[in-house]
């Protein structure tokens, strides 16, 4: 490529970061800055959140605190914000007893990436887990229903809101 600008650097860095090569993404970032290209906000927000998440995840496993629900939920949230839902879901599924915040995070992240069906599915799993959803979780599930025209599910969620209060 004759002229590499911030956009082209972002594209290649993001591809490596989301493709499972965060170390390569970091090296490309360093090359970019050495060559005088200026990182954009997206570079910092997306690529390094993912890179740091992978590093933190590895440290949590190394030190044996990866089963902490709060720390695991943070990783679910970060992977979801980076649109790596397979990793977010894997982390969520590994939480022994997800708390109400864990459930809210996974429902919200599915909604944000446009997988409304999975957001609603996860919402209904909350009840089977014996957890009382947050107001935000109800709201996210209703938004997901409205986007997919899931009237029956929306009615069920509304009924739950009325019942729980």
């Amino acid at each position: 490529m004759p002229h590499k600008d911030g956009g082209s650097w972002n594209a290649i860095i993001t591809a490596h970061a989301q493709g499972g090569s965060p170390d390569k993404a970091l090296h490309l970032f360093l090359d970019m800055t050495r060559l005088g290209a200026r990182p954009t906000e997206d570079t910092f927000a997306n690529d390094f959140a993912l890179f740091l998440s992978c590093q933190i995840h590895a440290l949590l496993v190394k030190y044996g605190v990866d089963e902490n629900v709060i720390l695991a939920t943070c990783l679910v949230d970060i992977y979801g914000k980076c649109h790596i839902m397979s990793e977010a879901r894997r982390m969520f599924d590994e939480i022994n007893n997800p708390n109400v915040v864990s459930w809210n995070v996974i429902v919200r992240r599915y909604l944000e990436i446009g997988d409304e069906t999975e957001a609603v599915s996860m919402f209904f799993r909350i009840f089977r887990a014996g957890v009382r959803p947050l107001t935000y979780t109800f709201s996210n599930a209703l938004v997901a229903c409205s986007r997919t025209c899931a009237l029956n599910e929306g009615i069920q969620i509304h009924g739950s809101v009325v019942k729980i209060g």
Side-chain angles (χ1 to χ4, degrees), residues 76-77 85 88-89 92 100-127 133-145 147 157:
V76 171
D77 194 32
M85 284 307 296
R89 180 59 178 269
F92 178 83
V100 67
V101 175
S102 307
W103 284 103
N104 186 65
V105 165
I106 196 72
V107 169
R108 178 68 186 176
R109 295 301 159 242
Y110 274 119
L111 176 64
E112 286 180 348
I113 66 156
D115 193 345
E116 290 85 2
T117 303
E118 194 61 25
V120 172
S121 174
M122 293 302 287
F123 175 81
F124 284 115
R125 283 187 52 198
I126 295 171
F127 294 101
L134 296 169
T135 305
Y136 300 110
T137 315
F138 279 109
S139 176
N140 290 330
L142 286 170
V143 168
C145 288
R147 289 184 184 169
I157 294 168

Side-chain angles (χ1 to χ4, degrees), residues 9 13 25-35 48:
W9 279 106
I13 291 169
L26 179 60
H27 289 294
L28 286 166
F29 173 79
L30 295 173
D31 289 345
M32 175 182 81
T33 57
R34 255 192 307 271
L35 293 172
F48 289 103

Side-chain angles (χ1 to χ4, degrees), residues 7 9 11 14-15 19 25-26 34 45 53 57 62 67 79 86 95 103 108 111-112 117 120 134 146 148 153 165:
W9 279 106
T14 299
L26 179 60
R34 255 192 307 271
S53 299
H57 188 178
K62 179 179 179 178
E67 293 184 15
Y79 284 129
S86 59
I95 299 173
W103 284 103
R108 178 68 186 176
L111 176 64
E112 286 180 348
T117 303
V120 172
L134 296 169
S146 72
T148 59
E153 290 84 353

